mmCIF file of all heavy atoms in Angstrom:
data_model
loop_
_atom_site.group_PDB
_atom_site.id
_atom_site.type_symbol
_atom_site.label_atom_id
_atom_site.label_comp_id
_atom_site.label_asym_id
_atom_site.label_seq_id
_atom_site.Cartn_x
_atom_site.Cartn_y
_atom_site.Cartn_z
ATOM 1 N N VAL N 133 -73.869 74.209 92.369
ATOM 2 C CA VAL N 133 -72.688 73.656 93.075
ATOM 3 C C VAL N 133 -73.119 72.859 94.338
ATOM 4 O O VAL N 133 -73.954 73.379 95.079
ATOM 5 C CB VAL N 133 -71.727 74.842 93.459
ATOM 6 C CG1 VAL N 133 -72.323 75.815 94.476
ATOM 7 C CG2 VAL N 133 -70.468 74.197 94.055
ATOM 8 N N ALA N 134 -72.605 71.699 94.464
ATOM 9 C CA ALA N 134 -73.126 70.733 95.454
ATOM 10 C C ALA N 134 -74.594 70.743 95.410
ATOM 11 O O ALA N 134 -75.282 70.498 94.350
ATOM 12 C CB ALA N 134 -72.547 71.111 96.801
ATOM 13 N N ASP N 135 -75.257 70.976 96.601
ATOM 14 C CA ASP N 135 -76.795 70.907 96.643
ATOM 15 C C ASP N 135 -77.390 72.281 96.427
ATOM 16 O O ASP N 135 -78.562 72.461 96.709
ATOM 17 C CB ASP N 135 -77.210 70.210 97.874
ATOM 18 C CG ASP N 135 -76.820 71.021 99.127
ATOM 19 O OD1 ASP N 135 -75.899 71.831 99.055
ATOM 20 O OD2 ASP N 135 -77.373 70.753 100.228
ATOM 21 N N VAL N 136 -76.533 73.242 96.065
ATOM 22 C CA VAL N 136 -77.054 74.646 95.890
ATOM 23 C C VAL N 136 -77.389 74.899 94.438
ATOM 24 O O VAL N 136 -76.330 74.678 93.622
ATOM 25 C CB VAL N 136 -76.085 75.695 96.417
ATOM 26 C CG1 VAL N 136 -76.493 77.100 96.193
ATOM 27 C CG2 VAL N 136 -75.832 75.416 97.845
ATOM 28 N N SER N 137 -78.639 75.301 94.004
ATOM 29 C CA SER N 137 -78.841 75.612 92.664
ATOM 30 C C SER N 137 -79.432 77.028 92.535
ATOM 31 O O SER N 137 -80.287 77.395 93.359
ATOM 32 C CB SER N 137 -79.789 74.521 91.980
ATOM 33 O OG SER N 137 -80.946 74.507 92.653
ATOM 34 N N ILE N 138 -78.958 77.706 91.477
ATOM 35 C CA ILE N 138 -79.414 79.155 91.323
ATOM 36 C C ILE N 138 -80.164 79.088 89.954
ATOM 37 O O ILE N 138 -79.604 78.759 89.031
ATOM 38 C CB ILE N 138 -78.204 80.037 91.207
ATOM 39 C CG1 ILE N 138 -77.215 79.882 92.288
ATOM 40 C CG2 ILE N 138 -78.646 81.477 91.028
ATOM 41 C CD1 ILE N 138 -75.926 80.563 92.159
ATOM 42 N N ASN N 139 -81.466 79.609 90.020
ATOM 43 C CA ASN N 139 -82.162 79.788 88.818
ATOM 44 C C ASN N 139 -81.999 81.195 88.334
ATOM 45 O O ASN N 139 -82.497 82.161 88.951
ATOM 46 C CB ASN N 139 -83.622 79.380 88.991
ATOM 47 C CG ASN N 139 -84.459 79.408 87.716
ATOM 48 O OD1 ASN N 139 -84.296 80.286 86.901
ATOM 49 N ND2 ASN N 139 -85.413 78.522 87.625
ATOM 50 N N MET N 140 -81.311 81.303 87.218
ATOM 51 C CA MET N 140 -81.024 82.792 86.737
ATOM 52 C C MET N 140 -82.237 83.491 86.213
ATOM 53 O O MET N 140 -82.133 84.690 86.035
ATOM 54 C CB MET N 140 -79.842 82.716 85.712
ATOM 55 C CG MET N 140 -78.522 82.302 86.259
ATOM 56 S SD MET N 140 -78.009 83.242 87.731
ATOM 57 C CE MET N 140 -77.633 84.802 86.859
ATOM 58 N N LEU N 141 -83.282 82.730 85.878
ATOM 59 C CA LEU N 141 -84.454 83.394 85.345
ATOM 60 C C LEU N 141 -85.342 83.927 86.404
ATOM 61 O O LEU N 141 -85.753 85.075 86.405
ATOM 62 C CB LEU N 141 -85.291 82.347 84.430
ATOM 63 C CG LEU N 141 -84.594 81.823 83.313
ATOM 64 C CD1 LEU N 141 -85.448 80.815 82.559
ATOM 65 C CD2 LEU N 141 -84.275 83.013 82.291
ATOM 66 N N THR N 142 -85.481 83.137 87.471
ATOM 67 C CA THR N 142 -86.242 83.572 88.687
ATOM 68 C C THR N 142 -85.451 84.242 89.779
ATOM 69 O O THR N 142 -85.988 84.772 90.683
ATOM 70 C CB THR N 142 -87.060 82.368 89.179
ATOM 71 O OG1 THR N 142 -86.143 81.446 89.708
ATOM 72 C CG2 THR N 142 -88.025 81.746 88.092
ATOM 73 N N ARG N 143 -84.129 84.069 89.670
ATOM 74 C CA ARG N 143 -83.233 84.459 90.695
ATOM 75 C C ARG N 143 -83.468 83.795 92.089
ATOM 76 O O ARG N 143 -83.179 84.389 93.106
ATOM 77 C CB ARG N 143 -83.262 86.086 90.828
ATOM 78 C CG ARG N 143 -82.882 86.760 89.552
ATOM 79 C CD ARG N 143 -82.997 88.285 89.628
ATOM 80 N NE ARG N 143 -81.891 88.818 90.331
ATOM 81 C CZ ARG N 143 -80.745 89.272 89.901
ATOM 82 N NH1 ARG N 143 -80.579 89.053 88.612
ATOM 83 N NH2 ARG N 143 -79.860 89.857 90.583
ATOM 84 N N GLN N 144 -84.075 82.607 92.003
ATOM 85 C CA GLN N 144 -84.258 81.857 93.152
ATOM 86 C C GLN N 144 -83.059 80.957 93.478
ATOM 87 O O GLN N 144 -82.528 80.333 92.605
ATOM 88 C CB GLN N 144 -85.510 81.016 93.105
ATOM 89 C CG GLN N 144 -86.757 81.781 93.269
ATOM 90 C CD GLN N 144 -87.990 80.879 93.300
ATOM 91 O OE1 GLN N 144 -87.965 79.748 92.707
ATOM 92 N NE2 GLN N 144 -89.014 81.349 93.948
ATOM 93 N N VAL N 145 -82.686 80.886 94.652
ATOM 94 C CA VAL N 145 -81.528 80.007 95.114
ATOM 95 C C VAL N 145 -82.104 78.895 96.038
ATOM 96 O O VAL N 145 -82.793 79.161 97.030
ATOM 97 C CB VAL N 145 -80.422 80.727 95.924
ATOM 98 C CG1 VAL N 145 -79.333 79.830 96.213
ATOM 99 C CG2 VAL N 145 -79.907 81.894 95.029
ATOM 100 N N LEU N 146 -81.855 77.607 95.709
ATOM 101 C CA LEU N 146 -82.315 76.563 96.589
ATOM 102 C C LEU N 146 -81.138 75.761 97.128
ATOM 103 O O LEU N 146 -80.103 75.661 96.479
ATOM 104 C CB LEU N 146 -83.071 75.515 95.641
ATOM 105 C CG LEU N 146 -84.453 75.935 95.089
ATOM 106 C CD1 LEU N 146 -85.032 74.866 94.189
ATOM 107 C CD2 LEU N 146 -85.546 76.251 96.223
ATOM 108 N N LYS N 147 -81.199 75.433 98.388
ATOM 109 C CA LYS N 147 -80.297 74.500 98.969
ATOM 110 C C LYS N 147 -81.152 73.224 99.201
ATOM 111 O O LYS N 147 -81.997 73.221 100.115
ATOM 112 C CB LYS N 147 -79.747 75.046 100.238
ATOM 113 C CG LYS N 147 -78.682 74.095 100.873
ATOM 114 C CD LYS N 147 -77.927 74.724 101.965
ATOM 115 C CE LYS N 147 -77.093 73.739 102.660
ATOM 116 N NZ LYS N 147 -76.056 73.180 101.777
ATOM 117 N N GLY N 148 -80.949 72.170 98.453
ATOM 118 C CA GLY N 148 -81.789 71.009 98.481
ATOM 119 C C GLY N 148 -83.045 71.520 97.971
ATOM 120 O O GLY N 148 -83.270 72.118 96.904
ATOM 121 N N ASP N 149 -84.134 71.329 98.884
ATOM 122 C CA ASP N 149 -85.474 71.888 98.543
ATOM 123 C C ASP N 149 -85.778 73.174 99.124
ATOM 124 O O ASP N 149 -86.841 73.737 98.943
ATOM 125 C CB ASP N 149 -86.538 70.798 99.013
ATOM 126 C CG ASP N 149 -86.375 69.565 98.146
ATOM 127 O OD1 ASP N 149 -86.079 69.584 97.010
ATOM 128 O OD2 ASP N 149 -86.744 68.500 98.723
ATOM 129 N N ALA N 150 -84.870 73.624 100.020
ATOM 130 C CA ALA N 150 -85.158 74.882 100.789
ATOM 131 C C ALA N 150 -84.774 76.126 100.010
ATOM 132 O O ALA N 150 -83.753 76.244 99.396
ATOM 133 C CB ALA N 150 -84.379 74.860 102.143
ATOM 134 N N LEU N 151 -85.600 77.053 100.028
ATOM 135 C CA LEU N 151 -85.441 78.408 99.367
ATOM 136 C C LEU N 151 -84.671 79.304 100.250
ATOM 137 O O LEU N 151 -84.994 79.468 101.439
ATOM 138 C CB LEU N 151 -86.827 78.932 99.036
ATOM 139 C CG LEU N 151 -86.769 80.257 98.115
ATOM 140 C CD1 LEU N 151 -86.206 80.002 96.778
ATOM 141 C CD2 LEU N 151 -88.287 80.701 98.110
ATOM 142 N N LEU N 152 -83.560 79.766 99.708
ATOM 143 C CA LEU N 152 -82.740 80.656 100.591
ATOM 144 C C LEU N 152 -82.918 82.165 100.119
ATOM 145 O O LEU N 152 -83.185 82.428 98.951
ATOM 146 C CB LEU N 152 -81.225 80.320 100.358
ATOM 147 C CG LEU N 152 -80.783 79.010 100.626
ATOM 148 C CD1 LEU N 152 -79.308 78.871 100.507
ATOM 149 C CD2 LEU N 152 -81.037 78.593 102.120
ATOM 150 N N GLU N 153 -82.877 83.030 101.037
ATOM 151 C CA GLU N 153 -82.925 84.409 100.838
ATOM 152 C C GLU N 153 -81.557 85.122 100.794
ATOM 153 O O GLU N 153 -80.718 84.876 101.550
ATOM 154 C CB GLU N 153 -83.691 85.077 101.908
ATOM 155 C CG GLU N 153 -85.184 84.611 102.107
ATOM 156 C CD GLU N 153 -86.155 85.231 101.053
ATOM 157 O OE1 GLU N 153 -85.767 86.250 100.477
ATOM 158 O OE2 GLU N 153 -87.179 84.519 100.909
ATOM 159 N N PHE N 154 -81.343 85.978 99.722
ATOM 160 C CA PHE N 154 -80.149 86.698 99.535
ATOM 161 C C PHE N 154 -80.353 88.129 99.277
ATOM 162 O O PHE N 154 -81.353 88.419 98.655
ATOM 163 C CB PHE N 154 -79.310 86.101 98.384
ATOM 164 C CG PHE N 154 -78.773 84.751 98.658
ATOM 165 C CD1 PHE N 154 -79.459 83.542 98.338
ATOM 166 C CD2 PHE N 154 -77.515 84.657 99.209
ATOM 167 C CE1 PHE N 154 -78.923 82.343 98.666
ATOM 168 C CE2 PHE N 154 -76.970 83.320 99.483
ATOM 169 C CZ PHE N 154 -77.675 82.250 99.167
ATOM 170 N N THR N 155 -79.511 89.025 99.842
ATOM 171 C CA THR N 155 -79.545 90.419 99.387
ATOM 172 C C THR N 155 -78.948 90.435 97.996
ATOM 173 O O THR N 155 -78.361 89.469 97.432
ATOM 174 C CB THR N 155 -78.603 91.237 100.352
ATOM 175 O OG1 THR N 155 -77.286 90.924 100.157
ATOM 176 C CG2 THR N 155 -79.094 91.028 101.772
ATOM 177 N N LYS N 156 -79.078 91.628 97.380
ATOM 178 C CA LYS N 156 -78.597 91.805 95.983
ATOM 179 C C LYS N 156 -77.119 91.551 95.958
ATOM 180 O O LYS N 156 -76.642 90.841 95.000
ATOM 181 C CB LYS N 156 -78.969 93.240 95.485
ATOM 182 C CG LYS N 156 -78.879 93.415 94.034
ATOM 183 C CD LYS N 156 -79.377 94.828 93.709
ATOM 184 C CE LYS N 156 -78.712 95.178 92.298
ATOM 185 N NZ LYS N 156 -78.073 96.592 92.321
ATOM 186 N N THR N 157 -76.361 92.107 96.829
ATOM 187 C CA THR N 157 -74.979 91.889 96.842
ATOM 188 C C THR N 157 -74.556 90.485 97.081
ATOM 189 O O THR N 157 -73.634 89.944 96.393
ATOM 190 C CB THR N 157 -74.303 92.789 97.886
ATOM 191 O OG1 THR N 157 -74.665 94.268 97.640
ATOM 192 C CG2 THR N 157 -72.700 92.795 97.917
ATOM 193 N N GLU N 158 -75.132 89.872 98.071
ATOM 194 C CA GLU N 158 -74.823 88.440 98.258
ATOM 195 C C GLU N 158 -75.128 87.593 97.051
ATOM 196 O O GLU N 158 -74.297 86.641 96.723
ATOM 197 C CB GLU N 158 -75.825 87.842 99.430
ATOM 198 C CG GLU N 158 -75.378 88.341 100.791
ATOM 199 C CD GLU N 158 -76.502 88.074 101.936
ATOM 200 O OE1 GLU N 158 -77.575 87.569 101.484
ATOM 201 O OE2 GLU N 158 -76.177 88.360 103.072
ATOM 202 N N PHE N 159 -76.289 87.906 96.266
ATOM 203 C CA PHE N 159 -76.698 87.212 95.146
ATOM 204 C C PHE N 159 -75.555 87.294 94.083
ATOM 205 O O PHE N 159 -75.125 86.373 93.331
ATOM 206 C CB PHE N 159 -77.982 87.628 94.705
ATOM 207 C CG PHE N 159 -78.485 86.781 93.494
ATOM 208 C CD1 PHE N 159 -79.018 85.618 93.655
ATOM 209 C CD2 PHE N 159 -78.418 87.327 92.242
ATOM 210 C CE1 PHE N 159 -79.568 84.773 92.640
ATOM 211 C CE2 PHE N 159 -78.839 86.554 91.066
ATOM 212 C CZ PHE N 159 -79.401 85.346 91.322
ATOM 213 N N LEU N 160 -75.187 88.497 93.922
ATOM 214 C CA LEU N 160 -74.084 88.843 92.839
ATOM 215 C C LEU N 160 -72.829 88.057 93.074
ATOM 216 O O LEU N 160 -72.260 87.477 92.281
ATOM 217 C CB LEU N 160 -73.789 90.401 92.835
ATOM 218 C CG LEU N 160 -74.460 91.304 91.955
ATOM 219 C CD1 LEU N 160 -74.034 92.692 92.099
ATOM 220 C CD2 LEU N 160 -74.188 90.951 90.402
ATOM 221 N N LEU N 161 -72.483 88.072 94.321
ATOM 222 C CA LEU N 161 -71.142 87.422 94.824
ATOM 223 C C LEU N 161 -71.319 85.934 94.598
ATOM 224 O O LEU N 161 -70.451 85.277 94.008
ATOM 225 C CB LEU N 161 -70.979 87.689 96.257
ATOM 226 C CG LEU N 161 -69.654 87.035 96.934
ATOM 227 C CD1 LEU N 161 -68.437 87.395 96.135
ATOM 228 C CD2 LEU N 161 -69.580 87.455 98.343
ATOM 229 N N LEU N 162 -72.517 85.364 94.949
ATOM 230 C CA LEU N 162 -72.693 83.895 94.844
ATOM 231 C C LEU N 162 -72.676 83.436 93.417
ATOM 232 O O LEU N 162 -72.010 82.546 93.036
ATOM 233 C CB LEU N 162 -74.102 83.549 95.451
ATOM 234 C CG LEU N 162 -74.491 82.070 95.331
ATOM 235 C CD1 LEU N 162 -73.593 81.158 96.217
ATOM 236 C CD2 LEU N 162 -75.943 81.905 95.730
ATOM 237 N N VAL N 163 -73.347 84.247 92.605
ATOM 238 C CA VAL N 163 -73.422 83.893 91.162
ATOM 239 C C VAL N 163 -72.043 83.947 90.499
ATOM 240 O O VAL N 163 -71.623 83.084 89.731
ATOM 241 C CB VAL N 163 -74.349 84.844 90.380
ATOM 242 C CG1 VAL N 163 -74.255 84.782 88.905
ATOM 243 C CG2 VAL N 163 -75.782 84.578 90.789
ATOM 244 N N TYR N 164 -71.292 84.965 90.873
ATOM 245 C CA TYR N 164 -69.923 85.118 90.345
ATOM 246 C C TYR N 164 -68.967 83.969 90.721
ATOM 247 O O TYR N 164 -68.334 83.450 89.935
ATOM 248 C CB TYR N 164 -69.339 86.518 90.795
ATOM 249 C CG TYR N 164 -67.984 86.816 90.164
ATOM 250 C CD1 TYR N 164 -67.872 86.868 88.755
ATOM 251 C CD2 TYR N 164 -66.887 87.142 90.885
ATOM 252 C CE1 TYR N 164 -66.680 87.156 88.220
ATOM 253 C CE2 TYR N 164 -65.654 87.395 90.291
ATOM 254 C CZ TYR N 164 -65.559 87.498 88.919
ATOM 255 O OH TYR N 164 -64.361 87.743 88.329
ATOM 256 N N LEU N 165 -69.132 83.569 92.054
ATOM 257 C CA LEU N 165 -68.296 82.459 92.463
ATOM 258 C C LEU N 165 -68.764 81.115 91.838
ATOM 259 O O LEU N 165 -67.956 80.419 91.323
ATOM 260 C CB LEU N 165 -68.458 82.266 93.976
ATOM 261 C CG LEU N 165 -67.753 83.406 94.806
ATOM 262 C CD1 LEU N 165 -68.162 83.236 96.358
ATOM 263 C CD2 LEU N 165 -66.227 83.309 94.710
ATOM 264 N N VAL N 166 -70.040 80.978 91.652
ATOM 265 C CA VAL N 166 -70.574 79.700 91.144
ATOM 266 C C VAL N 166 -70.273 79.538 89.713
ATOM 267 O O VAL N 166 -69.937 78.549 89.165
ATOM 268 C CB VAL N 166 -72.025 79.476 91.442
ATOM 269 C CG1 VAL N 166 -72.558 78.116 90.846
ATOM 270 C CG2 VAL N 166 -72.293 79.357 92.953
ATOM 271 N N SER N 167 -70.425 80.704 88.956
ATOM 272 C CA SER N 167 -70.188 80.661 87.506
ATOM 273 C C SER N 167 -68.734 80.347 87.206
ATOM 274 O O SER N 167 -68.255 80.063 86.121
ATOM 275 C CB SER N 167 -70.602 81.868 86.707
ATOM 276 O OG SER N 167 -71.189 82.831 87.464
ATOM 277 N N ASN N 168 -67.808 80.705 88.149
ATOM 278 C CA ASN N 168 -66.400 80.384 88.042
ATOM 279 C C ASN N 168 -65.878 79.248 88.864
ATOM 280 O O ASN N 168 -64.759 79.201 89.334
ATOM 281 C CB ASN N 168 -65.628 81.657 88.397
ATOM 282 C CG ASN N 168 -65.763 82.690 87.394
ATOM 283 O OD1 ASN N 168 -65.218 82.710 86.309
ATOM 284 N ND2 ASN N 168 -66.624 83.761 87.762
ATOM 285 N N LYS N 169 -66.899 78.282 89.069
ATOM 286 C CA LYS N 169 -66.682 77.200 89.916
ATOM 287 C C LYS N 169 -65.353 76.498 89.582
ATOM 288 O O LYS N 169 -65.021 76.223 88.417
ATOM 289 C CB LYS N 169 -67.813 76.160 89.726
ATOM 290 C CG LYS N 169 -67.902 74.999 90.751
ATOM 291 C CD LYS N 169 -69.215 74.386 90.672
ATOM 292 C CE LYS N 169 -69.368 73.678 89.304
ATOM 293 N NZ LYS N 169 -70.673 72.793 89.406
ATOM 294 N N GLY N 170 -64.499 76.218 90.578
ATOM 295 C CA GLY N 170 -63.234 75.513 90.286
ATOM 296 C C GLY N 170 -62.051 76.410 89.941
ATOM 297 O O GLY N 170 -60.968 75.985 89.731
ATOM 298 N N ILE N 171 -62.346 77.641 89.740
ATOM 299 C CA ILE N 171 -61.343 78.620 89.308
ATOM 300 C C ILE N 171 -60.939 79.526 90.613
ATOM 301 O O ILE N 171 -61.937 79.826 91.331
ATOM 302 C CB ILE N 171 -61.946 79.506 88.205
ATOM 303 C CG1 ILE N 171 -62.104 78.648 86.901
ATOM 304 C CG2 ILE N 171 -60.831 80.691 87.971
ATOM 305 C CD1 ILE N 171 -62.814 79.421 85.882
ATOM 306 N N VAL N 172 -59.712 79.865 90.755
ATOM 307 C CA VAL N 172 -59.447 80.708 91.889
ATOM 308 C C VAL N 172 -59.539 82.132 91.409
ATOM 309 O O VAL N 172 -58.985 82.545 90.404
ATOM 310 C CB VAL N 172 -57.965 80.473 92.410
ATOM 311 C CG1 VAL N 172 -57.538 81.512 93.421
ATOM 312 C CG2 VAL N 172 -57.754 79.093 92.922
ATOM 313 N N LEU N 173 -60.391 82.884 92.153
ATOM 314 C CA LEU N 173 -60.658 84.357 91.848
ATOM 315 C C LEU N 173 -59.809 85.193 92.794
ATOM 316 O O LEU N 173 -59.827 84.911 94.064
ATOM 317 C CB LEU N 173 -62.049 84.595 91.885
ATOM 318 C CG LEU N 173 -62.982 83.884 90.859
ATOM 319 C CD1 LEU N 173 -64.512 84.000 91.295
ATOM 320 C CD2 LEU N 173 -62.767 84.416 89.499
ATOM 321 N N THR N 174 -59.137 86.149 92.336
ATOM 322 C CA THR N 174 -58.412 87.017 93.295
ATOM 323 C C THR N 174 -59.437 87.947 93.919
ATOM 324 O O THR N 174 -60.401 88.228 93.454
ATOM 325 C CB THR N 174 -57.321 87.873 92.508
ATOM 326 O OG1 THR N 174 -58.065 88.858 91.731
ATOM 327 C CG2 THR N 174 -56.391 86.995 91.582
ATOM 328 N N ARG N 175 -58.861 88.471 95.063
ATOM 329 C CA ARG N 175 -59.853 89.341 95.798
ATOM 330 C C ARG N 175 -60.140 90.673 94.931
ATOM 331 O O ARG N 175 -61.297 91.063 94.916
ATOM 332 C CB ARG N 175 -59.018 89.844 97.131
ATOM 333 C CG ARG N 175 -58.589 88.773 97.989
ATOM 334 C CD ARG N 175 -57.904 89.257 99.170
ATOM 335 N NE ARG N 175 -58.628 90.151 100.002
ATOM 336 C CZ ARG N 175 -59.418 89.728 101.031
ATOM 337 N NH1 ARG N 175 -59.384 88.400 101.308
ATOM 338 N NH2 ARG N 175 -60.198 90.528 101.714
ATOM 339 N N ASP N 176 -59.184 91.115 94.210
ATOM 340 C CA ASP N 176 -59.403 92.250 93.380
ATOM 341 C C ASP N 176 -60.510 91.940 92.279
ATOM 342 O O ASP N 176 -61.359 92.744 92.031
ATOM 343 C CB ASP N 176 -58.172 92.706 92.648
ATOM 344 C CG ASP N 176 -57.225 93.494 93.568
ATOM 345 O OD1 ASP N 176 -57.652 93.750 94.702
ATOM 346 O OD2 ASP N 176 -56.088 93.797 93.227
#
Side-chain angles (χ1 to χ4, degrees):
V133 63
D135 62 343
V136 177
S137 64
I138 308 167
N139 186 322
M140 294 303 290
L141 297 178
T142 61
R143 300 174 78 86
Q144 281 184 336
V145 183
L146 293 175
K147 181 172 175 59
D149 294 329
L151 187 62
L152 301 181
E153 297 283 341
F154 288 89
T155 65
K156 194 172 159 235
T157 304
E158 288 168 353
F159 184 80
L160 263 178
L161 176 59
L162 177 70
V163 167
Y164 188 53
L165 290 170
V166 177
S167 7
N168 290 287
K169 193 167 65 172
I171 296 170
V172 176
L173 296 167
T174 66
R175 303 176 64 87
D176 284 351

